[in-house]
Amino acid sequence: MSVSNREKTMLALTLLTLLFGGLGLTARRQVERYRQVDGQRRELQTILADRQALVAQRSDWEAQYASLRHLMPVFAPDRQVATYWLAIMDRLANQNGLSIVRRQVGEEKLVGDVYEMPIDCKDWEGSLEGLVRFLYDLQAEGAMLDVRSMFIRPTPNKPALLRGSFTLYCAYLREGAPPAATGENQP
């Protein structure tokens, strides 16, 4: 059996078409992969530039920290500080007509050279105005008190009152050098 020139040409064109089609599919995947990697590279470059800008501002941050450090209370290494923070929170709540029913003090954690202690107020009740004034007074106490999460709902039988929960983080320093930091206490 002999193959004509026309059939040879058709076979060659078919093979070339399949070859270029396979090459096109492979190139398409590679181009898509390149675009994905390039997008990740650009995102990482942006993150790197942001972090380099923060590092470049280190002296400004340190100066601001040094100017505000005196506002941070300093406690002896063996002193229990929960009562100090609970007294401040209770005083501000009472001043503003907020009733804190249940609360739980969390564990102290070292974050950098500052200690943080969360206080979970599991149940509180008060008016909207009292809540806003309470939060304002917490903020006015300085940078050492921070409400990081809050849940608010209306009281079913008393429409003028609100109920809810919040977590108050208290920041402070300890006298002397901070203890050797463990991996779990570092940010």
Side-chain angles (χ1 to χ4, degrees):
M1 172 170 168
S2 75
V3 179
S4 71
N5 285 339
R6 182 173 184 211
E7 289 173 339
K8 289 179 187 177
T9 304
M10 290 297 284
L11 179 62
L13 287 174
T14 303
L15 288 175
L16 283 173
T17 303
L18 289 174
L19 180 66
F20 281 116
L23 183 64
L25 288 176
T26 303
R28 182 186 214 180
R29 288 187 202 126
Q30 293 300 324
V31 166
E32 204 50 50
R33 175 79 175 127
Y34 172 77
R35 286 182 182 153
Q36 183 182 22
V37 169
D38 189 51
Q40 290 173 347
R41 180 188 58 82
R42 288 177 194 229
E43 183 178 328
L44 289 174
Q45 281 179 332
T46 302
I47 291 170
L48 178 62
D50 290 345
R51 292 190 179 167
Q52 285 174 337
L54 283 174
V55 169
Q57 296 173 350
R58 180 180 180 147
S59 61
D60 296 337
W61 289 109
E62 287 175 346
Q64 185 177 4
Y65 176 71
S67 70
L68 295 174
R69 184 179 176 118
H70 73 279
L71 297 175
M72 188 85 60
V74 180
F75 298 103
D78 57 342
R79 181 173 173 198
Q80 294 292 326
V81 297
T83 54
Y84 175 82
W85 296 115
L86 289 171
I88 290 174
M89 185 182 69
D90 289 343
R91 177 178 52 84
L92 295 176
N94 288 335
Q95 274 179 327
N96 296 295
L98 203 68
S99 171
I100 297 176
V101 181
R102 287 186 325 152
R103 62 188 183 199
Q104 180 178 357
V105 177
E107 282 191 37
E108 169 181 280
K109 289 184 181 179
L110 179 63
V111 180
D113 61 348
V114 175
Y115 289 87
E116 284 188 344
M117 176 180 288
I119 299 175
D120 288 324
C121 294
K122 307 230 181 245
D123 194 14
W124 60 266
E125 185 175 86
S127 68
L128 177 61
E129 182 180 345
L131 174 64
V132 171
R133 288 179 188 222
F134 171 73
L135 293 174
Y136 178 81
D137 287 347
L138 281 177
Q139 185 67 33
E141 283 288 320
M144 60 250 175
L145 296 173
D146 184 26
V147 176
R148 293 192 188 159
S149 65
M150 178 174 271
F151 177 72
I152 303 171
R153 65 182 180 277
T155 304
N157 298 334
K158 303 172 189 172
L161 293 179
L162 300 172
R163 297 188 80 148
S165 62
F166 64 87
T167 303
L168 176 68
Y169 280 81
C170 310
Y172 51 95
L173 297 171
R174 293 282 188 182
E175 291 175 347
T182 62
E184 66 188 54
N185 291 339
Q186 295 299 311

